[in-house]
Amino acid sequence: MSSTFRALRNPNYRLWASGAVVSNIGTWMQRVAQDWLVLTVLTDHSGTAVGITTALQFLPMLMFGPYAGVLADRHRKRVILLWTQSAMGICGLAVGILVVTGAAQLWQVYAAALCLGLASAFDGPARQAFVSELVGKEDIANAVSLNSASFNTARLTGPAIAGVLIAWAGTGPVFLLNAASFAAVIVSLVKIQPSGTVSKPSTQSKHPVIEGLGYVRQRPDLVMILVLVAVLGAFGMNFPVTNALMSTAVFGMGPGEFGLLGSVMAIGTLAGALLAARRSAPRMRYLLMGALGLGIFTLIGSVSPSFWLYATVLVPIGLASMTFLNSCNTSIQLSVDPRFRGRVLALYLATLQGGTAVGAPLMGWIGTTFGARWSVASGGAIVLAAGVVALFLVARRSPLTLRQHLRRRTRVTRDPSAASR
């Protein structure tokens, strides 16, 4: 089997990947439908309302993510995922019924987004850490990259399908189809027999969340990653908000073209995930290149004179964002002590999604008040500045201490407790 797809030789991972890709397609379909419903049906092109919806969906991760990480470290991840995936399917079903019956109101969509965010907050750390139970340590980096590839394959097809369905039948059926798609991942979870074990509580008296924060505080590489993720999540990855505003307010496009933007961006993110799958270990230079590239190409996108040029720029934007995120995720998966993996991944997701929750309303307000181009440009400028500062800090730690630390940590021998797994 090609080195790009080596994790698929594991039967458990094949089951997980097959169910996840179906569910991911439904998730991306719903994201497009939700933004379009709020932007054009329930409001008069309010970027602020779209930003609030996005914030409500990501805010619970910021509030409950650390506790979700403790749950993932202390309990069976497969059981957690069965509950969270079922809850997310119910959220989609509820909104779909409201829209189809003509009873949907803005506050109801807000409430559904918040409920979906709560389920996602507990789903994220368990889902990310679950990968290490499905494959051996030598395939973790590849499995993380293939997860991203699966997610972005769905991102490539989901928005396009949603755009066609919205134009043909409205947003309601899209929500219902997403609810049905969760059956695929639930079935795969029932069939999987993971080999991982549950971490035992520490003998120390520290609170488990505080214990996890203390672990991160001792790792300068992790601190830098989390700070960068927070900044890029808040100002550079609000694509549902910025793409919605650019496609409607600037270029005057409809739902089909709006969905197409998500698919075009997925070309870049999918390419980034597949390129990462060929690498055996993370490198700090890829992380920094991703942050700098995202800022540069976002600024270029803000001044694109036509819809098709803007869509073209989304390809390198997607590539840069995936290069950055995959480098962050893989670094954490491989370098963190297994006892803390769920908690550190929870902090990673909390900073990423929490940053989006904080930044989305702000980016929406800037777009509504000053224009969509200003929203995109301001986000790109902040991301570029953060990337330059990070590059300067790494360069000062000659000879690239952070990168050496990452490489050294990812090559440690298997944890002794792993022999009994």
Side-chain angles (χ1 to χ4, degrees), residues 13-257:
Y13 185 75
R14 286 199 301 271
L15 278 171
W16 169 255
S18 61
V21 71
V22 175
S23 179
N24 285 335
I25 290 173
T27 297
W28 276 107
M29 290 170 60
Q30 176 167 310
R31 287 189 180 185
V32 172
Q34 177 180 273
D35 294 337
W36 194 257
L37 176 68
V38 171
L39 188 67
T40 65
V41 178
L42 301 180
T43 69
D44 184 17
H45 294 83
S46 173
T48 302
V50 176
I52 291 172
T53 306
T54 303
L56 288 171
Q57 195 164 320
F58 292 131
L59 186 61
M61 176 56 75
L62 181 63
M63 298 173 62
F64 302 108
Y67 297 95
V70 174
L71 191 70
D73 280 337
R74 302 290 170 82
H75 298 278
R76 297 288 179 185
K77 300 171 185 63
R78 186 168 67 117
V79 175
I80 296 171
L81 291 171
L82 283 169
W83 281 102
T84 56
Q85 292 289 312
S86 299
M88 288 189 281
I90 292 172
C91 288
L93 178 63
V95 177
I97 292 173
L98 288 171
V99 175
V100 169
T101 58
Q105 299 179 35
L106 184 60
W107 72 268
Q108 294 169 331
V109 178
Y110 284 165
L114 181 61
C115 291
L116 183 63
L118 285 169
S120 299
F122 289 90
D123 180 86
R127 177 165 35 85
Q128 297 285 345
F130 190 54
V131 174
S132 63
E133 297 185 1
L134 300 179
V135 300
K137 187 177 181 67
E138 67 277 4
D139 288 334
I140 288 179
N142 182 252
V144 170
S145 299
L146 290 182
N147 278 353
S148 299
S150 170
F151 183 76
N152 287 287
T153 298
R155 189 175 186 173
L156 186 63
T157 57
I161 296 172
V164 173
L165 286 176
I166 292 170
W168 176 56
T171 56
V174 178
F175 285 96
L176 296 177
L177 284 173
N178 176 54
S181 73
F182 281 96
V185 72
I186 290 173
V187 169
S188 70
L189 284 168
V190 170
K191 292 184 176 181
I192 284 173
Q193 297 298 325
S195 58
T197 60
V198 177
S199 299
K200 295 182 178 180
S202 171
T203 56
Q204 298 180 9
S205 60
K206 287 184 178 180
H207 189 282
V209 173
I210 297 176
E211 189 180 29
L213 291 172
Y215 176 81
V216 171
R217 193 163 48 243
Q218 297 171 6
R219 292 278 305 275
D221 57 315
L222 293 180
V223 172
M224 178 177 149
I225 287 173
L226 293 176
V227 171
L228 273 178
V229 165
V231 174
L232 269 66
F235 302 106
M237 296 184 182
N238 289 293
F239 305 124
V241 177
T242 54
N243 285 348
L245 289 172
M246 289 291 287
S247 62
T248 57
V250 177
F251 302 119
M253 296 297 178
E257 291 82 2

Side-chain angles (χ1 to χ4, degrees), residues 256-409:
E257 291 82 2
F258 173 48
L260 181 64
L261 289 181
S263 296
V264 170
M265 177 177 285
I267 296 173
T269 52
L270 178 59
L274 291 176
L275 287 172
R278 300 180 65 86
R279 297 193 288 267
S280 59
R283 296 288 186 271
M284 183 60 70
R285 63 175 177 270
Y286 292 119
L287 190 152
L288 295 174
M289 286 168 55
L292 293 171
L294 179 60
I296 292 169
F297 286 107
T298 299
L299 285 172
I300 294 173
S302 70
V303 296
S304 296
S306 71
F307 173 82
W308 294 110
L309 284 175
Y310 177 76
T312 301
V313 175
L314 288 179
V315 175
I317 287 176
L319 175 62
S321 63
M322 181 49 56
T323 299
F324 172 77
L325 290 176
N326 194 83
S327 298
C328 294
N329 194 324
T330 307
S331 297
I332 293 172
Q333 291 271 13
L334 289 173
S335 69
V336 168
D337 187 321
R339 295 175 301 156
F340 296 95
R341 186 178 288 131
R343 278 167 282 183
V344 177
L345 284 168
L347 287 173
Y348 163 70
L349 293 172
T351 53
L352 176 61
Q353 298 184 16
T356 301
V358 172
L362 176 60
M363 293 294 101
W365 176 80
I366 293 174
T368 301
T369 306
F370 301 102
R373 293 188 185 277
W374 281 104
S375 178
V376 177
S378 59
I382 293 172
V383 168
L384 181 59
V388 170
V389 171
L391 180 64
F392 173 74
L393 291 176
V394 171
R396 285 190 63 185
R397 298 175 68 89
S398 180
L400 298 181
T401 306
L402 285 174
R403 186 178 72 182
Q404 290 180 343
H405 180 74
L406 269 177
R407 296 178 67 174
R408 183 172 63 251
R409 295 284 300 189

